[in-house]
Amino acid sequence: MKIAVCPGSFDPVTSGHLDVIERGARLFGKVVVGVFEKTGKTPLFSLNKRVNFIESAIKENLCLNNVEVESFNTLLIDFAHKHGACAIIKGLRAVSDFEHEFQMAQFNRKLDPSIETIFMMASSQYAYLSSSAVKEIAKFGGRIEGLVTPEVEKGLRKVFEL
Ligand code: PNS
């Protein structure tokens, strides 16, 4: 069975992330979503919350039974080895994503050339969607319906006391 990992900070998971996870789950026997514990800045949601949001979206919204969610705080390549993955799935939105993603893919290839990074072009309706944009819109009381799951929407409303 071919296994892929799909890593990210997921602070919080968006409909764009879920779209990539769902499409990845059609291509691979199993997809392990890796929630990176350490992010550059302090995350809005705890690691547990970020994992739980994805787990319930996978069960309740996407109904996928070949996707698992796990946090990690190591090199991504080591997380991929741990799960016997042959690929890393990443979503690619606008050109602005490219340079950073290209660099990470090169580093990961240097660390283990046998693990392939696969980029999925974001679906057009999510091409400009990001966790940061969702947080900013939510913070100022804007509508985020459809951009995240209802559970994440509720979580954001609670954080920003809306
Ligand atoms: O959602 P993000 O913030 O773009 O995800 C970034 C992530 C978690 C994929 C990246 O930071 C990562 O792979 N971190 C694990 C540590 C690692 O392997 N770093 C070297 C890759 S160049």
Side-chain angles (χ1 to χ4, degrees), residues 7-10 36 72 74-77 90 101 104 107-108:
S9 315
F10 303 109
F36 190 47
F72 73 106
T74 61
L75 279 177
L76 174 57
I77 278 295
K90 300 293 302 274
E101 292 297 343
M104 283 200 284
F107 276 130
N108 286 326

Side-chain angles (χ1 to χ4, degrees), residues 7-14 17 34-51 53-54 130-136 148 152 156 159-160:
S9 315
F10 303 109
D11 184 38
V13 67
T14 66
H17 293 130
V35 182
F36 190 47
E37 185 177 343
K38 246 194 209 158
T39 60
K41 37 196 173 138
T42 311
L44 183 66
F45 291 104
S46 70
L47 184 62
N48 257 352
K49 265 260 164 241
R50 287 183 275 146
V51 168
F53 282 146
I54 305 172
S130 68
S131 299
S132 330
V134 163
K135 284 183 278 193
E136 184 141 317
V148 292
V152 171
L156 284 163
V159 169
F160 295 122

Side-chain angles (χ1 to χ4, degrees), residues 37-136:
E37 185 177 343
K38 246 194 209 158
T39 60
K41 37 196 173 138
T42 311
L44 183 66
F45 291 104
S46 70
L47 184 62
N48 257 352
K49 265 260 164 241
R50 287 183 275 146
V51 168
N52 290 344
F53 282 146
I54 305 172
E55 275 176 343
S56 52
I58 282 160
K59 262 194 239 142
E60 288 155 34
N61 307 69
L62 304 180
C63 306
L64 296 170
N65 55 17
N66 63 336
V67 178
E68 289 172 12
V69 189
E70 199 180 293
S71 61
F72 73 106
N73 196 13
T74 61
L75 279 177
L76 174 57
I77 278 295
D78 292 334
F79 182 70
H81 288 156
K82 180 182 165 196
H83 290 282
C86 63
I88 296 166
I89 300 175
K90 300 293 302 274
L92 206 56
R93 296 164 300 185
V95 182
S96 50
D97 276 348
F98 182 78
E99 201 166 332
H100 182 57
E101 292 297 343
F102 185 69
Q103 186 191 38
M104 283 200 284
Q106 297 298 336
F107 276 130
N108 286 326
R109 170 170 289 182
K110 178 134 189 66
L111 292 170
D112 185 345
S114 74
I115 297 185
E116 198 64 57
T117 302
I118 296 177
F119 290 102
M120 282 195 186
M121 302 305 290
S123 296
S124 54
Q125 69 270 39
Y126 304 130
Y128 292 97
L129 178 56
S130 68
S131 299
S132 330
V134 163
K135 284 183 278 193
E136 184 141 317

Side-chain angles (χ1 to χ4, degrees), residues 2-6 24 28-33 83-89:
K2 298 256 187 208
I3 300 170
V5 291
C6 183
F28 287 87
K30 184 163 106 179
V31 172
V32 184
V33 178
H83 290 282
C86 63
I88 296 166
I89 300 175

